[in-house]
Amino acid sequence: MNSNNKLLFGIIITVFLIWAISAGVIMLTLDDWATRGTFGDLFGAVNALFSGLALAGLVYSLYRSREELGLQREEIELNRKELIKSRKTQEKSEKALEEQACQLRVASKINGLKILIDYYTGILADNNKAEDVRDRALVRRKELIKEVDTLIDRLSDEELE
């Protein structure tokens, strides 16, 4: 039981005890029912006062609830704006990661082509190889160099964008 429930329970018990004690005191001090009835009629205004106070408490409680709901709406709106900012940042990060992955793929291709170019350069440097083998190696090496140039140009174009 939380503290608000304990407080409410304590107030209810206190009011009930006061009511019970007052009933006992009235029964013991006033002799007949007519006198008791007249005495009870004196408290009609007090009943109206407590009813009015209860209504005022209810209205105040509704007003506070309305304020709390307004604050919750503002908080939800702020959270929504933050989520939109977060989403935009995440989208930018995702785009940057995609670009980085693309650049890594191109760099891997260039590294692979460099290995092949080095291989054909080795064939060209080997004088023991047949002339037709060296000619094919020279043609293939030129093709690979053109491909590397194309990839480098593509990377440069993407960086300018």
Side-chain angles (χ1 to χ4, degrees):
M1 192 182 293
N2 65 26
S3 62
N4 288 337
N5 289 343
K6 287 180 182 178
L7 178 65
L8 179 62
F9 186 71
I11 290 172
I12 290 171
I13 294 296
T14 303
V15 168
F16 181 76
L17 287 174
I18 291 172
W19 175 77
I21 292 170
S22 68
V25 169
I26 290 171
M27 292 296 251
L28 293 174
T29 57
L30 300 176
D31 297 333
D32 61 358
W33 286 103
T35 308
R36 291 177 190 155
T38 306
F39 180 76
D41 289 341
L42 292 174
F43 293 99
V46 174
N47 287 336
L49 173 67
F50 282 117
S51 296
L53 288 174
L55 179 63
L58 179 65
V59 169
Y60 177 74
S61 158
L62 289 173
Y63 175 75
R64 293 288 296 162
S65 294
R66 183 175 173 216
E67 283 181 346
E68 287 295 322
L69 285 174
L71 291 173
Q72 285 178 357
R73 284 188 192 111
E74 288 176 16
E75 185 69 27
I76 288 170
E77 186 62 30
L78 289 173
N79 284 341
R80 185 177 295 131
K81 288 177 182 177
E82 286 299 318
L83 285 173
I84 288 170
K85 287 180 187 178
S86 176
R87 186 191 79 217
K88 288 179 181 178
T89 303
Q90 189 173 1
E91 287 172 354
K92 287 178 184 178
S93 176
E94 183 179 341
K95 184 178 178 183
L97 285 173
E98 287 176 6
E99 290 174 2
Q100 186 179 16
C102 181
Q103 289 175 354
L104 286 173
R105 282 192 298 274
V106 172
S108 296
K109 286 180 184 178
I110 290 173
N111 284 336
L113 292 172
K114 181 193 176 302
I115 291 170
L116 289 173
I117 290 169
D118 289 345
Y119 170 73
Y120 288 118
T121 301
I123 291 175
L124 291 172
D126 188 359
N127 290 329
N128 294 333
K129 296 286 182 181
E131 191 64 33
D132 64 325
V133 171
R134 290 175 62 192
D135 288 340
R136 285 193 308 258
L138 181 62
V139 170
R140 184 66 181 133
R141 184 174 171 263
K142 286 181 182 180
E143 291 172 355
L144 292 171
I145 291 172
K146 281 184 183 179
E147 194 172 340
V148 168
D149 287 340
T150 303
L151 288 172
I152 290 173
D153 288 341
R154 193 171 99 195
L155 273 179
S156 298
D157 291 343
E158 286 177 4
E159 286 178 4
L160 292 175
E161 293 176 0

